[in-house]
Amino acid sequence: MARPSIPAEIRRAVLVEAGHRCAIPRCGETELDVHHIVPWEACKNHEYSNLIALCPICHRRAHKGEIDRKALLQYKAALTAGSGPGMQANFEAPIVEIRRRIFERNTDVPGFTFQFDFPDFEGLVQRIVSKNVEAWGYELLADFRHHQETVMPVKEEGNPDTESFYKVPSSLRGSYQIIRNDDVVISLEYTLDRFFTGSAHGGRNTRVQNFLISPFQPITARDLLAENSSLGDLSELVRSRLLSNRQYSENWVIKGTEPKGDNFSNFVLEKNGVQFIFDEYQIDSYAAGRQKLWIGYDQFAGIGNHSLFSKLAGNDF
């Protein structure tokens, strides 16, 4: 079986933790790999606690044993404790009231406005969460700039068709809702409102950010499942719950809940259950808007990660 790629949320967290520099003290290189401290062949997973950012040279030294596993664990512990380079850098985005904002306006043609808000949490681990969300915001900005530079057609001076086309600039606005913030987990629901110049209407997407606090760990859909369970099991559970509600078309639901990671990437974590979020066109029409499905931790029927759910629910699970 081919080795799966490291989830984007976990890779980002590892790089942010190290300040996008090699985790070996006094190395400082910025060209980075993500290394498994316990080799992939032995662990067969991409746990955040087992991953560390290394430059290609230090990565090769680690594989040769010149930097041994015990040393790597010590470097990882220093990063996790906040004494590594990842926690030394200041935020780039200025603070706006109780949150921070990444803002950019481009008055060229085609022009655009980008605004992305994110929470500025207090506490050592919580600030790691804030820095991860900030890094994601800058990824969105880079993608948005790239779209403007490569997809938008060039304006033709004096052409009335293109003059009309560029009347309204592109925009992207990211706003969030804190679903849960305690000593166990931080769960954020993001709404991304996009409009591209020349479009008939805008679009709205949901994205989420979920982090376990201790030990710090980005939470993906795969983390919700027991070791012997699969996305196919999750797909069957979600489908059965959705189809019990007669408002949904079976064809829509089957297509939108195929056992693919993207279909289940949007979820938030509440005290006693998981809220799955489905954007327009996923399980219903655009006019129906976003749809949500809540499943209690005790309703995962043997396929759920009991250890994680116990931690999330506390004594109530």
Side-chain angles (χ1 to χ4, degrees), residues 124-173:
L124 177 62
V125 177
Q126 289 80 358
R127 285 184 67 79
I128 297 175
V129 170
S130 293
K131 289 186 71 65
N132 271 271
V133 180
E134 181 190 32
W136 172 52
Y138 278 108
E139 289 176 12
L140 289 174
L141 175 57
D143 289 343
F144 195 61
R145 288 171 178 159
H146 180 72
H147 179 276
Q148 290 295 110
E149 293 168 358
T150 60
V151 177
M152 288 290 103
V154 177
K155 179 180 178 181
E156 298 177 17
E157 296 294 338
N159 186 329
D161 292 334
T162 58
E163 292 286 344
S164 175
F165 181 88
Y166 287 110
K167 184 176 294 185
V168 181
S170 299
S171 64
L172 187 150
R173 183 168 185 256

Side-chain angles (χ1 to χ4, degrees), residues 54-281:
L54 298 177
C55 71
I57 293 175
C58 290
H59 196 177
R60 288 196 296 272
R61 293 179 65 200
H63 278 292
K64 291 178 182 178
E66 295 174 7
I67 305 175
D68 62 24
R69 191 177 302 173
K70 185 175 181 180
L72 290 172
L73 289 170
Q74 290 177 353
Y75 295 142
K76 177 70 176 182
L79 291 169
T80 303
S83 58
M87 293 306 296
Q88 294 173 5
N90 293 323
F91 284 102
E92 295 181 34
I95 192 166
V96 180
E97 298 180 346
I98 60 172
R99 64 187 67 189
R100 291 180 183 264
R101 174 172 296 167
I102 301 170
F103 182 84
E104 182 170 313
R105 176 174 288 132
N106 187 314
T107 58
D108 293 339
V109 178
F112 68 84
T113 299
F114 179 94
Q115 179 178 311
F116 179 87
D117 292 349
F118 63 97
D120 186 4
F121 291 120
E122 295 184 0
L124 177 62
V125 177
Q126 289 80 358
R127 285 184 67 79
I128 297 175
V129 170
S130 293
K131 289 186 71 65
N132 271 271
V133 180
E134 181 190 32
W136 172 52
Y138 278 108
E139 289 176 12
L140 289 174
L141 175 57
D143 289 343
F144 195 61
R145 288 171 178 159
H146 180 72
H147 179 276
Q148 290 295 110
E149 293 168 358
T150 60
V151 177
M152 288 290 103
V154 177
K155 179 180 178 181
E156 298 177 17
E157 296 294 338
N159 186 329
D161 292 334
T162 58
E163 292 286 344
S164 175
F165 181 88
Y166 287 110
K167 184 176 294 185
V168 181
S170 299
S171 64
L172 187 150
R173 183 168 185 256
S175 57
Y176 66 89
Q177 179 183 2
I178 299 176
I179 305 302
R180 183 170 171 182
N181 176 20
D182 53 34
D183 58 356
V184 177
V185 70
I186 291 177
S187 184
L188 304 174
E189 177 184 337
Y190 261 89
T191 299
L192 302 180
D193 288 304
R194 291 183 173 91
F195 177 83
F196 291 114
T197 296
S199 299
H201 57 75
R204 170 169 287 184
N205 298 103
T206 303
R207 296 282 291 275
V208 301
Q209 297 287 324
N210 297 295
F211 300 90
L212 194 65
I213 298 302
S214 183
F216 176 73
Q217 171 79 35
I219 302 174
T220 66
R222 188 64 189 83
D223 296 316
L224 302 177
L225 301 174
E227 284 189 17
N228 60 348
S229 300
S230 67
L231 284 178
D233 298 320
L234 180 60
S235 173
E236 290 183 14
L237 173 62
V238 171
R239 278 180 184 174
S240 66
R241 295 291 297 272
L242 289 171
L243 291 176
S244 67
N245 185 337
R246 295 184 179 180
Q247 80 177 67
Y248 296 118
S249 160
E250 184 174 359
N251 290 336
W252 275 96
V253 170
I254 289 175
K255 182 178 179 181
T257 58
E258 291 179 355
K260 301 176 182 178
D262 288 347
N263 284 338
F264 301 100
S265 60
N266 287 330
F267 64 88
V268 290
L269 301 168
E270 300 179 358
K271 176 65 175 178
N272 295 307
V274 182
Q275 182 94 265
F276 290 97
I277 306 166
F278 304 96
D279 277 329
E280 295 90 344
Y281 295 121

